[in-house]
């Protein structure tokens, strides 16, 4: 301390170096700490919500209509015939790669061989969710995320000879619902 004991310690010329540091470098108050903590907490909660929403959106089945159908909506009560071509979707760039399964001669099948199905019976979850958004006669791209497709399980033959779907693949079905089994013209 540079000031004599009897002098006023608050005088400009008698302030110690330690006092100067205390005056210029204040610690944050408890209120400032609480406010920063609150802002950080709000930020982390919002970040978690954004990540959750992006996960939810990624797990949604999406139907993209190519040609509308004139028939009634698809239900779980009937069996339907359809033409289908399966693709693996690269969601980062939107490209599609044929997976080797089609019922259309124009897409590689030996002949046109319609596929018969009943929504909810022995199908992947995404197929059922998607076709229940369609009408008879409709042709659509059915985008199915891996979680609602085959998940982590690979399907088919990786060495050729038929179709192959690697694990964790997002799928796209080019599906045309011809009508109820036995009621439509092929």
């Amino acid at each position: 301390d540079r000031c004599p004991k009897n002098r006023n310690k608050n005088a400009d010329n008698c302030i110690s170096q330690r006092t100067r540091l205390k005056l210029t470098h204040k610690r944050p108050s408890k209120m400032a700490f609480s406010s920063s903590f609150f802002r950080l907490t709000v930020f982390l909660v919002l970040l978690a919500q954004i990540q959750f929403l992006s996960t939810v959106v990624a797990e949604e089945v999406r139907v993209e209509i190519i040609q509308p159908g004139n028939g009634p909506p698809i239900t779980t009560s009937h069996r339907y015939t359809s033409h289908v071509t399966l693709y693996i979707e690269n969601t980062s760039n939107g490209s599609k790669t044929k997976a080797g399964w089609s019922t259309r001669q124009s897409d590689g099948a030996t002949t046109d061989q319609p596929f018969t199905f009943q929504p909810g019976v022995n199908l992947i979850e995404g197929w059922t969710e998607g076709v229940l958004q369609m009408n008879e006669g409709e042709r659509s791209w059915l985008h199915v995320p891996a979680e609602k497709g085959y998940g982590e399980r690979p399907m088919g033959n990786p060495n050729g000879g038929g179709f192959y779907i690697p694990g964790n693949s997002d799928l796209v079905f080019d599906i045309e619902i011809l009508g109820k089994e036995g009621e439509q013209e092929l």
Side-chain angles (χ1 to χ4, degrees):
D1 212 3
R2 294 188 324 224
C3 296
K5 290 185 180 186
N6 60 356
R7 295 229 14 203
N8 181 353
K9 299 248 184 203
N10 289 329
D12 287 340
N13 58 354
C14 294
I15 296 176
S16 71
Q17 186 176 4
R18 188 178 347 174
T19 305
R20 270 191 215 112
L21 286 174
K22 285 182 183 177
L23 291 174
T24 57
H25 299 291
K26 293 183 178 181
R27 287 184 177 178
S29 69
K30 287 183 180 181
M31 181 63 113
F33 176 75
S34 315
S35 176
S36 297
F37 181 74
F38 176 74
R39 279 189 239 126
L40 177 63
T41 303
V42 168
F43 172 76
L44 291 174
V45 167
L46 289 173
L47 183 62
Q49 288 175 341
I50 289 168
Q51 288 176 336
F52 173 76
L53 289 175
S54 65
T55 301
V56 169
V57 169
E59 293 178 359
E60 290 295 317
V61 172
R62 191 168 49 90
V63 177
E64 182 182 343
I65 298 173
I66 298 169
Q67 179 181 347
N70 295 334
I74 304 304
T75 69
T76 57
S77 305
H78 300 283
R79 291 178 54 83
Y80 298 90
T81 58
S82 61
H83 278 303
V84 185
T85 303
L86 172 62
Y87 297 84
I88 307 297
E89 183 172 32
N90 181 340
T91 54
S92 66
N93 65 16
S95 66
K96 302 173 199 58
T97 305
K98 286 186 182 177
W101 180 66
S102 181
T103 65
R104 295 180 181 97
Q105 188 174 12
S106 61
D107 285 334
T110 309
T111 61
D112 283 340
Q113 301 171 359
F115 174 71
T116 303
F117 69 93
Q118 182 171 353
V121 179
N122 298 322
L123 297 169
I124 59 172
E125 178 183 358
W127 176 292
T128 295
E129 282 185 28
V131 297
L132 289 175
Q133 297 176 49
M134 296 175 67
N135 293 327
E136 289 182 35
E138 182 176 318
R139 183 173 181 177
S140 291
W141 292 107
L142 184 61
H143 300 266
V144 178
E147 297 81 14
K148 294 191 178 188
Y150 295 103
E152 296 177 358
R153 299 171 303 180
M155 297 297 290
N157 185 354
N159 300 319
F163 75 97
Y164 178 64
I165 303 169
N168 294 313
S169 292
D170 293 323
L171 309 174
V172 178
F173 296 92
D174 173 355
I175 179 169
E176 178 181 9
I177 300 179
L178 303 173
K180 292 180 185 76
E181 184 179 35
E183 292 184 11
Q184 75 288 339
E185 292 182 29
L186 301 177

